[in-house]
Amino acid sequence: DKYRQQAQNQHLSEQELLPSRGEIYIHDYQTGEETLYPVAVNKKFYLAMAVPNLVKNPKITAKLLAPILEMDEQIIFERLAKKDDIYEPLKHKVDEAKKVEIETLALAGIQFEEELFRYYPESESLSQVLGFVGYQDDELAGRYGVEAYWEKELAGEKGSFVFERDALG
């Protein structure tokens, strides 16, 4: 039993699956059309991050990234110069165009991770009714309005994915 458990621990992996927040639409009953209008949706952005021990030249990399990320070159350099660090976030909410621009530079050690943020296409028009998504303790949650009232339904439930792997991973 002991060895069976050890073998199972080596071959089975589990990955947490995070749900994307439900979107909110409204319907215009006065026009009689069946069109739904988005008022709270998830917009894809990216987290620009670095693996400092893979960055070949922190000074040049910082100089190239600073104008694109609209950050101070010295701050980027300090993060990239941490050679014993394996992960250093650079900037949240990087849009697709900036991501592509950085990727075309082919900078070693610079990576991206997809992030979803709440986006309200109508800006502040329905803010008193919709509320907003903000931090509650360490979690993002609906605050006020529709976002808070329907929090359980909009947030979804976390899941998991269990899979087997071979000796090579």
Side-chain angles (χ1 to χ4, degrees):
D1 286 342
K2 175 184 171 184
Y3 295 114
R4 185 177 313 142
Q5 184 63 40
Q6 285 179 346
Q8 188 174 13
N9 289 344
Q10 289 177 355
H11 294 287
L12 286 180
S13 286
E14 185 173 0
Q15 182 178 3
E16 185 178 36
L17 299 174
L18 300 173
S20 64
R21 189 167 183 84
E23 299 180 338
I24 302 171
Y25 293 84
I26 60 172
H27 184 266
D28 186 356
Y29 288 101
Q30 292 179 338
T31 63
E33 294 179 26
E34 294 297 319
T35 307
L36 294 175
Y37 299 96
V39 292
V41 295
N42 300 313
K43 191 169 183 181
K44 182 171 55 170
F45 289 98
Y46 297 91
L47 164 64
M49 57 187 178
V51 180
N53 57 6
L54 297 179
V55 175
K56 295 201 181 348
N57 189 329
K59 194 74 174 163
I60 292 173
T61 303
K63 187 177 185 73
L64 292 169
L65 289 176
I68 300 169
L69 294 177
E70 299 169 359
M71 291 177 64
D72 182 70
E73 185 178 326
Q74 185 60 31
I75 292 172
I76 296 173
F77 172 74
E78 288 169 6
R79 292 180 185 175
L80 298 178
K82 297 177 181 178
K83 285 297 178 189
D84 58 336
D85 198 352
I86 60 167
Y87 169 80
E88 197 62 41
L90 298 175
K91 186 170 184 174
H92 289 276
K93 287 192 173 181
V94 175
D95 64 29
E96 183 76 29
K98 289 182 181 182
K99 175 186 177 272
V100 170
E101 187 177 350
I102 292 169
E103 285 176 333
T104 58
L105 298 172
L107 300 168
I110 304 301
Q111 301 174 357
F112 295 91
E113 186 174 293
E114 190 175 301
E115 298 180 304
L116 292 177
F117 284 93
R118 202 57 159 180
Y119 175 68
Y120 300 95
E122 297 300 320
S123 190
E124 298 171 4
S125 296
L126 298 167
S127 61
Q128 283 86 4
V129 175
L130 289 175
F132 62 93
V133 174
Y135 281 97
Q136 187 171 18
D137 299 321
D138 290 336
E139 299 275 328
L140 281 173
R143 308 296 301 241
Y144 309 104
V146 174
E147 293 277 18
Y149 186 82
W150 294 102
E151 172 59 24
K152 186 174 185 239
E153 290 78 3
L154 290 170
E157 293 181 19
K158 293 180 182 177
S160 63
F161 176 58
V162 180
F163 56 96
E164 287 188 55
R165 58 183 178 185
D166 64 9
L168 298 175

